Amino acid sequence: MTGTERILNGKFWYLLTKVSQLLELSLLWTLFSIPVLTIGASSAALFDLLGRLDTMGSKTFSTFWESFRAHWKSGSLWWLFTAAVAALGVVDLSICIPNFTTGYFMAVVTGLLVALLLIFTCMSAYLLPLSITGGRTFRESLRPAMVFALSNIVGNILIVLTLAAGTWILGRIWYVGFLFPAFFALPISTMTRRAMGKAGLLPEEDDE
């Protein structure tokens, strides 16, 4: 084996290839999400391709576009559902937090609201991959997503921490934030797909 072959077959080149793929996916996600209404479909395409990085090939743009079109409906439903609940949660928190210390009742209500929003965050993270794999409809994915959100404690804590870290970091480096969405989505995708695989909710080719 020549020196060039050793480099191309080595771990360093493999890692470099993956970093390049994640950068490309980050750029495509940002580009396709600019209209805002398309964030769901672009997120669905991102999660779809993150689950098959090794078999994605070199035609990243065309593969992303195909996945974007294929998961347009499920991704859009996920985005509308998530955005609506998140907006309602933010409004409720804006009312509860200023009144947090006014009495025991408001403290309990605020605590419950925060807990529900955390559970919903985890449910939303599972809902997207569930609705784009195995031929499920968005409605069919709601129940297993809720089950995962309530049962996978360790994975859910990691998901929340990853989202919090990603939001904090991207908020500070917003001017180059378009380079990193896939890097933060990858661990979430890995955790959700692993949980789905253990539960037998992934197609055989994805669960191998």
Side-chain angles (χ1 to χ4, degrees), residues 48 71 74 127-138 140-141 193 196 200-207:
D48 177 32
H71 301 301
S74 57
L127 182 58
L128 184 58
L130 278 167
S131 62
I132 63 176
T133 57
R136 297 178 192 83
T137 64
F138 180 81
E140 292 170 340
S141 302
R193 293 179 69 86
M196 290 161 56
L201 293 177
L202 282 179
E204 291 185 4
E205 62 271 17
D206 291 339
D207 196 24

Side-chain angles (χ1 to χ4, degrees), residues 91-111:
V91 171
D92 289 342
L93 282 178
S94 66
I95 297 172
C96 291
I97 291 179
N99 300 302
F100 180 77
T101 58
T102 59
Y104 178 75
F105 175 76
M106 286 305 300
V108 172
V109 170
T110 304

Side-chain angles (χ1 to χ4, degrees), residues 76-96:
S76 297
L77 287 172
W78 169 83
W79 170 237
L80 291 173
F81 175 70
T82 301
V85 176
L88 180 62
V90 170
V91 171
D92 289 342
L93 282 178
S94 66
I95 297 172
C96 291

Side-chain angles (χ1 to χ4, degrees), residues 20 32 41 53 59 95 98 110 113 115 124 137 164 195 205 207-208:
S20 175
F32 278 75
L53 278 177
K59 297 181 179 179
I95 297 172
T110 304
L113 181 58
S124 182
T137 64
E205 62 271 17
D207 196 24
E208 290 178 354

